[in-house]
Amino acid sequence: MTVLMKNIAFGEGPRWKNGHLWFSDMHSKQVIKLAPTGSWEIVVALQDDQPSGLGWLPDGDLLIVSMQKRQILRFNGKDLLVHADLSEMASYHCNDMVIGPYGRCYVGNFGFDLHNGAEPKPGELIRVDVDGSMHLMEGDLNFPNGAVITADGQTLVVAETFAGVLTAFDIGANGDLHNRREWAKLPNKALPDGICLDSNGGIWVASPTTNECVRLSEGGEMTHRIRTDRGAFACVIGEETLYVCTSKASNPVICMAERNARIEFYPAPYPAAGYPHSG
């Protein structure tokens, strides 16, 4: 394990683009661009909400999940605009998302008030097209979290965190989802949070409950395991490196007080593939 950055409140939504790691420091309300040398800059600071999932449209604009407002924001390098308002569709805070080859986003949400002990309820998976139009894809996912799309654009896999499974769908020509099925069951007591896809068809899964990142093949075979000394919440492959967002907590109050979250990195056996695109 090598620590690239520390003193983070809570890292989420890591993405690799143009030789840099981009991620949301969720509880600090910042989107950060981090170089492999350790130098970093704040790209966007939200004034009144927490960022989570990140991605880019075909024209290069950055999309940011604004969690509590349940919006997708669009940043063109200067102005921050609302790309889509999901507040009428998403039952609770929006979270991670993946953007596919045509600029379509698939966005999950908590479904319930996780940090204040509310009774668990299913969350929705919502598709947002390039023009900002919204479409409900699934309404009964068990905390839909990290998601990936295969390189051919034909399969979406989403982590159902509290079900302990990766769930796959076929993607239709219009972006609709069909043929829901189990892609893999997580081993032991692991729960999937952020995920990323590699060129050999495996999915790396960050598991905060078991302090590890595991690589699974379709069907559930575990081929690799990386132990961490704190919860692993999200991961992404950049070039030949697996970057992992780790933290000892996820509660906003604790995270802001302790700031013990980190960006760690490890050798990756295979390069990235599919989406989130690793360009």
Side-chain angles (χ1 to χ4, degrees):
M1 176 269 292
T2 306
V3 177
L4 179 60
M5 184 176 179
K6 53 187 178 180
N7 194 34
I8 300 166
F10 187 76
E12 257 289 8
R15 304 289 185 260
W16 184 262
K17 186 175 176 65
N18 297 333
H20 288 76
L21 181 74
W22 301 59
F23 69 95
S24 293
D25 189 353
M26 181 185 291
H27 300 322
S28 290
K29 303 178 181 179
Q30 299 171 341
V31 176
I32 291 175
K33 179 182 176 183
L34 173 63
T37 59
S39 63
W40 59 277
E41 62 179 286
I42 298 171
V43 178
V44 177
L46 302 186
Q47 299 301 313
D48 55 358
D49 205 354
Q50 298 168 311
S52 183
L54 304 174
W56 287 266
L57 290 175
D59 66 2
D61 284 0
L62 173 65
L63 295 189
I64 305 167
V65 171
S66 180
M67 297 183 69
Q68 295 175 15
K69 290 185 176 181
R70 291 173 281 175
Q71 294 177 340
I72 308 298
L73 304 179
R74 182 170 182 162
F75 182 62
N76 61 13
K78 180 182 178 181
D79 299 314
L80 192 61
L81 308 171
V82 176
H83 179 62
D85 187 339
L86 282 62
S87 58
E88 296 299 318
M89 283 190 177
S91 56
Y92 207 68
H93 294 168
C94 290
N95 192 18
D96 212 343
M97 73 172 173
V98 61
I99 301 179
Y102 305 108
R104 298 187 185 111
C105 310
Y106 295 87
V107 188
N109 73 85
F110 285 18
F112 66 99
D113 189 350
L114 171 69
H115 295 301
N116 289 304
E119 179 182 354
K121 294 180 180 178
E124 297 81 19
L125 188 65
I126 300 166
R127 189 184 89 230
V128 179
D129 291 341
V130 173
D131 63 0
S133 60
M134 298 164 288
H135 312 268
L136 179 64
M137 297 287 97
E138 288 285 328
D140 61 343
L141 293 171
N142 199 334
F143 205 90
N145 210 326
V148 296
I149 295 173
T150 53
D152 60 11
Q154 296 184 4
T155 305
L156 179 141
V157 181
V158 60
E160 289 193 74
T161 298
F162 293 134
V165 300
L166 302 182
T167 299
F169 298 89
D170 295 335
I171 303 175
N174 64 351
D176 285 348
L177 301 181
H178 311 279
N179 188 26
R180 178 177 175 173
R181 60 197 181 276
E182 182 179 293
W183 194 90
K185 180 76 174 176
L186 271 288
N188 303 320
K189 296 182 179 180
L191 296 181
D193 197 319
I195 63 177
C196 63
L197 181 68
D198 70 28
S199 62
N200 205 38
I203 293 180
W204 281 98
V205 183
S207 171
T209 53
T210 53
N211 293 6
E212 62 186 351
C213 261
V214 297
R215 182 185 180 275
L216 302 178
S217 297
E218 187 171 3
E221 179 188 3
M222 184 173 64
T223 65
H224 298 72
R225 169 183 274 159
I226 295 172
R227 303 280 192 180
T228 57
D229 71 351
R230 60 199 67 196
F233 286 89
C235 56
V236 72
I237 298 171
E239 297 174 351
E240 298 179 350
T241 302
L242 179 73
Y243 294 92
V244 185
C245 298
T246 64
S247 179
K248 292 183 179 180
S250 61
N251 182 280
V253 175
I254 297 173
C255 289
M256 285 299 292
E258 299 185 358
R259 301 189 68 88
N260 59 43
R262 307 190 301 204
I263 303 294
E264 306 177 11
F265 65 92
Y266 306 81
Y270 307 103
Y275 305 84
H277 181 65
S278 188

